[in-house]
């Protein structure tokens, strides 16, 4: 079975959120079989910075759904979306 790389966009609740701490909490929340292959940051507006983790997940039913759900449950996360998906 192959794997899928998904670039996600994680919006913090406020510009005051410590992004380094949020990154660690996102990594800790990953479901089994998923891993993060790096983070980028995107300045959105007025000091708000989105995290753009690239997540590697197995290519099976559900795809990135489990990762989206786990990221959404992390304290300080306003929203989670998938920006780009590709097979590797």
């Amino acid at each position: 079975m192959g794997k899928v790389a998904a670039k996600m966009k994680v919006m913090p609740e406020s510009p005051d959120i410590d992004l380094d701490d949020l990154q660690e909490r996102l990594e800790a929340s990953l479901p089994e079989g998923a891993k993060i292959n790096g983070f980028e940051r995107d300045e959105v507006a007025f000091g708000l910075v989105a995290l753009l983790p690239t997540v590697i997940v197995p290519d099976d039913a559900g795809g990135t759904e489990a990762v989206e759900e786990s990221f959404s449950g992390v304290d300080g996360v306003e929203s989670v979306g998938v920006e780009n998906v590709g097979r590797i």
Side-chain angles (χ1 to χ4, degrees):
M1 186 173 297
K3 293 187 179 195
V4 172
K7 183 176 245 181
M8 319 268 303
K9 185 171 191 171
V10 179
M11 293 297 296
E13 290 178 343
S14 81
D16 302 326
I17 300 281
D18 179 351
L19 294 179
D20 293 328
D21 182 51
L22 183 57
Q23 275 185 212
E24 289 176 15
R25 287 184 281 146
L26 290 172
E27 288 184 80
S29 76
L30 282 173
E32 189 175 328
K35 70 175 189 168
I36 293 180
N37 192 33
F39 277 93
E40 293 178 31
R41 294 183 182 193
D42 181 28
E43 290 195 31
V44 180
F46 307 109
L48 188 62
V49 178
L51 292 176
L52 303 171
T54 300
V55 181
I56 309 296
V57 294
D59 183 18
D60 60 1
T64 61
E65 211 169 287
V67 174
E68 290 176 71
E69 287 176 16
S70 67
F71 281 2
S72 294
V74 172
D75 263 0
V77 172
E78 175 71 29
S79 66
V80 178
V82 177
E83 293 283 295
N84 200 341
V85 178
R87 295 182 91 175
I88 55 173

